[in-house]
Amino acid sequence: MLEILETMRRGYGFDNVVGISYFNKFLDELRDYKFSEIFVFQAKRYPLRYVFDFLLSTPSLWVQLSDVEWIEIMNSMNPRPYPLKLSLDNGYFADIHFLAKYVQVNSIEVFLRQAGFSYLDKKHVIQYCQRNPYSLLLDEFDKEDLDGEYFMSKQEIKHVQSRISSGIFFSNFNFNEDELISYLKQQIFSFDLSE
């Protein structure tokens, strides 16, 4: 698996082939492996933007994941590093970031409610989100890319959101910028994550 992922990463963006058209070349090989292992390997080693491009280009690998499977992926990403010493493009929080931004389910709250996750990991997640809260929101450029050709379509993402939020754990993540900043502050106090 590691060899495929490294080859895939090294070749990305060359010859003007990106998005779905690039990652489709690797789908058959990737289906031989567990998605959670593919995701965790990439998120811990590659830039956030690359991880997002991979996810948005390979929906067939993950759209059927249940809410419980996403929580298992979150657990596999722990322990989380101190985010303020990392570049903004690190992938260590890609699971939470992707679910909030693109799938638009409240992965932050779900993460914070997990009794088995450490206090320090929870604090690091809040610090990560507060560092650049606007990056957790879809902008118009992000939406334009969700066309079903460059990346998966908005309709596919809506279907995933609907399925995951109909489970036990996830609610929808619908905030504007001010609401998001206020929400993150509330989470600090609700879960006693202040300095």
Side-chain angles (χ1 to χ4, degrees):
M1 177 185 82
L2 307 185
E3 186 177 330
I4 295 167
L5 296 180
E6 287 289 341
T7 299
M8 193 169 70
R9 168 70 178 117
R10 282 193 305 270
Y12 190 63
F14 292 100
D15 299 327
N16 294 321
V17 181
V18 293
I20 290 171
S21 59
Y22 177 78
F23 289 107
N24 271 348
K25 298 184 287 188
F26 300 92
L27 278 179
D28 288 339
E29 291 176 272
L30 293 173
R31 284 191 180 100
D32 291 338
Y33 303 99
K34 192 173 177 184
F35 175 76
S36 59
E37 293 172 359
I38 293 169
F39 177 85
V40 171
F41 177 87
Q42 293 187 102
K44 288 185 174 182
R45 286 166 182 80
Y46 302 145
L48 183 67
R49 184 68 256 170
Y50 174 81
V51 176
F52 283 178
D53 284 12
F54 171 77
L55 291 169
L56 293 169
S57 301
T58 59
S60 63
L61 297 178
W62 61 268
V63 293
Q64 294 303 319
L65 292 178
S66 69
D67 51 356
V68 172
E69 288 172 304
W70 275 110
I71 292 171
E72 289 169 0
I73 287 172
M74 289 178 183
N75 188 45
S76 296
M77 290 294 295
N78 294 335
R80 310 276 171 155
Y82 179 57
L84 304 183
K85 288 191 175 179
L86 299 173
S87 75
L88 284 173
D89 195 33
N90 80 84
Y92 279 100
F93 298 86
D95 51 339
I96 293 162
H97 196 147
F98 181 79
L99 287 170
K101 179 173 183 158
Y102 287 100
V103 182
Q104 296 186 320
V105 292
N106 197 336
S107 53
I108 299 164
E109 182 178 30
V110 169
F111 188 89
L112 297 176
R113 289 189 184 277
Q114 299 309 302
F117 294 1
S118 78
Y119 171 84
L120 191 58
D121 282 330
K122 292 175 183 180
K123 189 171 184 174
H124 287 168
V125 164
I126 287 292
Q127 289 169 332
Y128 173 82
C129 294
Q130 284 188 308
R131 184 178 186 192
N132 190 7
Y134 309 112
S135 71
L136 297 169
L137 303 172
L138 274 179
D139 63 29
E140 290 309 312
F141 295 111
D142 296 320
K143 290 176 185 175
E144 284 177 20
D145 289 340
L146 300 174
D147 60 4
E149 292 179 24
Y150 184 70
F151 289 144
M152 64 191 292
S153 70
K154 294 180 198 97
Q155 293 78 18
E156 288 176 288
I157 288 179
K158 278 286 181 200
H159 178 72
V160 175
Q161 178 196 38
S162 176
R163 195 174 50 70
I164 291 177
S165 63
S166 68
I168 299 170
F169 299 103
F170 290 89
S171 60
N172 288 338
F173 188 76
N174 297 320
F175 297 103
N176 64 35
E177 293 173 4
D178 293 335
E179 291 168 342
L180 178 57
I181 290 168
S182 176
Y183 171 77
L184 293 171
K185 287 179 184 174
Q186 285 177 327
Q187 298 313 300
I188 290 170
F189 295 112
S190 296
F191 291 93
D192 192 24
L193 298 170
S194 57
E195 299 290 333

